[in-house]
Amino acid sequence: MNLMSPEYFSALIRHGSFTAAAKALHITQQTLSAHIAALEEEFGQQLVERTSPVRLTQAGRVFLDWSRDMLVRQQRLFHDMEAVGNDRGGDLRIGIAYTRSCILMPELIFRWPDRYPDVTFLLYEAANPALFAKALQGELDLLIGVFPTCPGELTLYPYYEDEILMLQPLAEGDYPLALGYPTEIAGQVGRRWNQDQQKPVLVTSDNVLALTELCLKGQAISFCPRLILERAYGSSLQEKVHLLNLPDYARYDVQFALPPHSRGWKLVEAFMNLARDLVAGSSLPATQVSD
């Protein structure tokens, strides 16, 4: 059996005879007959009864269903290969942290240009170590995140600048902290600020939105990236909590990281350009606090 088998067998059943099918396929009747006979020998079962027109056996019905499915798959394969060759399609495999993915990816996918209709987005949401491992194994095309350290095989490109804001409940009080883990930028900044304050920690989580909700409920002080707050809550957030700017240590860069196989791929470049265009200026005022 080879890649021509589905087309040859489907043509035989469609035209009803070896002669008519061979003519449609632009091959000799002997070539087609020998090909079908070889298939039957390979499977150890008769596929068609040599009548006029030919009739399918039960084994032939099974093989015809498979052949039709394979023809559809072959057409899709050629379409996808052409799209990839022309930089119009394929799977775009993106690694990103879960919360950042929730904030950024829906709008990016929604606004993806119409000229790339054949692109399928595959999102892998995890922390940096897992993202790095996937990228170096060739399983990701692009990483998005905060990368203070990064494997040398990956190339970094700028995305946008961000900062961690501190959120305090509106009511006066001595509140505990709702902190991210020390492996995450918000958790690092919160701990840096708390070196002098020595406030107790109420809860630790890698879900900055859950920590923000605790602040909104008047339970704790929390820390969250400005862009995530803007996208999740909008300008109305400043009416619900105190938003405070922290010193320079709270500012950082969000970057793209590209594995070697992705560099120069036009789809990746187009995605990065769109992503940058959709990151607008800040619309969330905050009050400066001292170090």
Side-chain angles (χ1 to χ4, degrees):
M1 183 169 59
N2 59 44
L3 289 176
M4 299 306 300
S5 298
E7 183 179 2
Y8 282 8
F9 192 75
S10 298
L12 174 60
I13 303 308
R14 184 168 61 252
H15 292 282
S17 73
F18 284 90
T19 301
K23 183 177 181 181
L25 292 167
H26 304 288
I27 60 176
T28 66
Q29 178 180 338
Q30 290 80 4
T31 298
L32 178 59
S33 181
H35 190 95
I36 301 302
L39 285 173
E40 292 175 323
E41 182 176 356
E42 182 176 354
F43 291 126
Q45 298 193 60
Q46 186 177 356
L47 298 179
V48 293
E49 296 179 5
R50 271 68 171 175
T51 57
S52 185
V54 295
R55 289 203 301 263
L56 285 168
T57 64
Q58 187 60 38
R61 292 189 182 93
V62 172
F63 189 69
L64 180 62
D65 288 342
W66 179 87
S67 296
R68 287 170 173 167
D69 182 61
M70 285 302 298
L71 288 172
V72 171
R73 289 172 178 268
Q74 285 179 13
Q75 290 175 352
R76 188 180 304 134
L77 173 62
F78 284 116
H79 179 272
D80 290 347
M81 293 298 286
E82 180 185 7
V84 170
N86 293 328
D87 286 317
R88 292 187 294 103
D91 292 338
L92 190 51
R93 305 167 299 173
I94 298 175
I96 186 172
Y98 174 78
T99 304
R100 190 169 287 111
S101 175
C102 292
I103 296 301
L104 295 176
M105 293 309 301
E107 184 178 7
L108 280 167
I109 294 172
F110 174 73
R111 295 181 179 274
W112 185 241
D114 291 338
R115 64 180 180 274
Y116 299 114
D118 298 317
V119 172
T120 299
F121 289 92
L122 303 178
L123 303 183
Y124 180 72
E125 295 157 332
N128 283 354
L131 297 182
F132 292 153
K134 285 275 189 181
L136 295 178
Q137 291 168 5
E139 298 177 19
L140 293 175
D141 302 309
L142 178 68
L143 308 184
I144 299 173
V146 181
F147 306 121
T149 61
C150 185
E153 297 91 333
L154 304 180
T155 303
L156 297 178
Y157 295 90
Y159 185 0
Y160 65 91
E161 295 180 356
D162 206 347
E163 65 175 318
I164 300 298
L165 296 181
M166 184 168 67
L167 293 79
Q168 289 185 348
L170 291 178
E172 294 292 333
D174 187 17
Y175 294 99
L177 302 185
L179 283 182
Y181 284 102
T183 54
E184 301 294 333
I185 184 67
Q188 295 165 10
V189 169
R191 284 169 174 78
R192 172 76 178 272
W193 178 82
N194 201 37
Q195 287 177 358
D196 295 329
Q197 308 299 324
Q198 295 298 307
K199 289 183 176 292
V201 177
L202 174 66
V203 61
T204 301
S205 170
D206 59 3
N207 188 331
V208 293
L209 293 179
L211 300 178
T212 299
E213 288 297 320
L214 283 173
C215 182
L216 288 170
K217 293 182 183 301
Q219 299 298 307
I221 294 171
S222 65
F223 302 82
C224 187
R226 175 187 286 274
L227 185 67
I228 289 178
L229 293 174
E230 290 177 351
R231 296 292 175 88
Y233 297 100
S235 59
S236 64
L237 183 62
Q238 60 187 313
E239 302 171 2
K240 302 173 183 177
V241 295
H242 293 300
L243 295 173
L244 303 172
N245 288 115
L246 294 166
D248 287 344
Y249 62 75
R251 295 173 176 82
Y252 62 96
D253 294 322
V254 177
Q255 297 173 297
F256 300 112
L258 270 67
H261 67 271
S262 293
R263 296 170 203 160
W265 188 22
K266 292 181 181 179
L267 279 180
V268 172
E269 295 175 357
F271 178 86
M272 291 194 297
N273 289 335
L274 175 65
R276 292 187 184 108
D277 290 342
L278 293 180
V279 178
S282 172
S283 59
L284 199 59
T287 302
Q288 184 70 38
V289 298
S290 59
D291 205 345

